[in-house]
Amino acid sequence: VDGLFIDMPNSRKEIAKEIGALRAGFKGVPWGITQEEFHRRRPEVVLKENSHKDIVGSYDENFCGCPAEVLYLFRADKKWGLLSAYVDEVFISGLVSEFTDEFGKPSPPDSGHWVREDILINMIRQYDGRWWVAVGGLTDGYIGLIPKSTALPSQHSQEKK
């Protein structure tokens, strides 16, 4: 897989394991935990209110084998619902390949968008050449920051293809 494994020989199994674990959370931190519990588990990530009154944290770390700036976003009920990783373009084809292996084809095809019963992934190219990779897990009737009832358009789009 080009791009993803530059400077990381023999790490494909570890990356695939991390990608599969995104259904439950990230780096051992489960989706849906409170801000207080998140802070206890990840004290290095400083949480603060942004200009939209959202609680976010930012930290430079490895995301599925890629160096990234990772943002942690909390829902209005103060539970962790979404992470956004800003990743350099050189890693995107590898991430798409690994996400497709784990979650099936994106919907629509070639979109960089996966919505499944237990996870939402959206990849968007940014103006600066980096890619925004948003990931949200299923908790308390939400997928990421979106109520599950509105996030899942139809049963057909949820199937692993």
Side-chain angles (χ1 to χ4, degrees), residues 79-146:
K79 293 184 178 178
W80 180 44
L82 189 77
L83 73 82
S84 293
Y86 290 92
V87 177
D88 286 333
E89 189 165 21
V90 68
F91 298 107
I92 293 304
S93 65
L95 279 175
V96 168
S97 177
E98 291 295 321
F99 287 154
T100 300
D101 286 351
E102 181 65 31
F103 304 114
K105 294 178 184 173
S107 180
D110 301 320
S111 68
H113 186 74
W114 292 260
V115 178
R116 300 296 184 260
E117 189 66 29
D118 56 354
I119 194 164
L120 174 142
I121 300 171
N122 197 15
M123 301 172 76
I124 300 171
R125 190 173 195 280
Q126 300 297 297
Y127 65 90
D128 64 359
R130 295 186 305 165
W131 283 71
W132 176 69
V133 182
V135 180
L138 173 65
T139 59
D140 305 323
Y142 285 84
I143 293 184
L145 303 178
I146 305 166

